[in-house]
Amino acid sequence: MNRKILIGLMVLAATALALFNQNLAYLLHDHILTVVAPVYYVTIFTIVSVALYVMTLYIIYSSHNRGQLDKNGFLVIFPITMTISVVASAWSLFVLAMWWG
């Protein structure tokens, strides 16, 4: 059960970073460090969100191989996480490409 909660929190955090990285970049630029350009925040948030998705998929796969996640759970969680990660990462990379011009 703890493994599923960890997976859910990681997917939620990665999705939030991927979808709202532009808003977070403006927030940090306006209120925390005004000397750093927002494009660098967007870049960092994109890298972190993709890394979180990769780590989540690795945790799901390794949990299945160790027997901590049954076959039915794996067949539900892995495709859903994969779909969310591909869509959110594609959006995040699109936003990043637009920021860098």
Side-chain angles (χ1 to χ4, degrees):
M1 188 64 178
N2 291 337
R3 190 71 65 164
K4 291 179 184 177
I5 292 172
L6 175 67
I7 290 167
L9 289 175
M10 288 178 72
V11 169
L12 186 65
T15 303
L17 278 176
L19 297 181
F20 302 116
N21 62 6
Q22 183 175 357
N23 297 337
L24 291 170
Y26 281 132
L27 178 76
L28 287 177
H29 178 70
D30 291 342
H31 298 293
I32 306 290
L33 290 173
T34 58
V35 296
V36 178
V39 69
Y40 296 115
Y41 289 125
V42 172
T43 304
I44 290 168
F45 292 148
T46 301
I47 291 169
V48 169
S49 69
V50 170
L52 278 172
Y53 283 130
V54 169
M55 287 189 305
T56 303
L57 291 171
Y58 175 76
I59 288 171
I60 293 170
Y61 184 74
S62 65
S63 295
H64 175 65
N65 283 344
R66 289 187 205 145
Q68 297 171 341
L69 187 64
D70 61 344
K71 184 177 180 179
N72 291 333
F74 178 76
L75 291 176
V76 170
I77 293 173
F78 191 79
I80 290 172
T81 304
M82 192 69 170
T83 303
I84 292 170
S85 65
V86 167
V87 171
S89 294
W91 171 255
S92 185
L93 290 171
F94 172 74
V95 170
L96 181 65
M98 292 296 111
W99 269 81
W100 279 101

